[in-house]
Amino acid sequence: MLNKVILIGRLTREPELRYTPSGTAVAKFTLAVDRRQARDRERETDFIDIVVWQKQAENCANYLGKGRLVAVEGRLQIRSYDDSQGVRRKAAEVVAENVRFLDRAKEGGPGAPGAGHTAEGLDYGSEISFNEDDIPF
């Protein structure tokens, strides 16, 4: 069996960083990914929820912002939950194993020097990854 997803797109908003009760970092963001319709060649956009864990989550929250171009490699996860009216819902999201920053932050934008973050020591063409053993579930 295989569950592998590779996406390239732009962030629709700033990553949202939180911590689990045990202190594990988790960041969430939405990726806008274009796709073409074969028959009419028009583009449509899919908005895909991404979940990132541990140090990679902190790096994404510190160095990525709305509009930044990234490549995400991970696995598709479908989870169920009950909404506020008690109706059972499903949510699809990609759990990122690797996030690659494909562009540099614009001057004065999120993650840019002078915007409260420094990119020193971060290679924008390199992978930020973690081991499957790092996932706390």
Side-chain angles (χ1 to χ4, degrees):
M1 291 186 245
L2 179 67
N3 182 351
K4 186 113 176 144
V5 175
I6 300 172
L7 302 167
I8 296 177
R10 295 196 180 273
L11 274 72
T12 62
R13 59 186 164 83
E14 308 297 315
E16 180 183 318
L17 179 64
R18 295 188 179 189
Y19 290 89
T20 64
S22 63
T24 303
V26 59
K28 294 183 179 185
F29 58 88
T30 301
L31 205 61
V33 180
D34 286 342
R35 64 180 155 88
R36 290 187 184 175
Q37 294 296 329
R39 56 190 170 277
D40 54 16
R41 297 186 186 208
E42 288 186 29
R43 288 186 182 187
E44 292 187 9
T45 303
D46 293 313
F47 298 94
I48 301 167
D49 293 329
I50 310 294
V51 178
V52 188
W53 290 92
Q54 305 224 352
K55 181 66 174 169
Q56 184 170 228
E58 292 173 335
N59 285 336
C60 287
N62 288 330
Y63 299 109
L64 290 178
K66 181 178 179 179
R68 294 290 305 277
L69 184 67
V70 298
V72 173
E73 180 182 355
R75 61 183 168 79
L76 181 63
Q77 174 176 282
I78 310 295
R79 59 184 173 81
S80 297
Y81 66 96
D82 294 326
D83 69 10
S84 59
Q85 285 79 36
V87 177
R88 192 75 166 159
R89 303 276 184 187
K90 287 188 177 184
E93 58 198 10
V94 172
V95 178
E97 295 166 0
N98 296 301
V99 176
R100 182 175 289 210
F101 302 173
L102 298 179
D103 64 359
R104 293 190 179 272
K106 291 191 167 76
E107 197 64 33
H117 305 289
T118 60
E120 187 173 320
L122 187 64
D123 179 4
Y124 284 89
S126 66
E127 293 181 359
I128 301 171
S129 61
F130 61 90
N131 187 318
E132 284 288 324
D133 297 331
D134 295 336
I135 299 174
F137 54 88

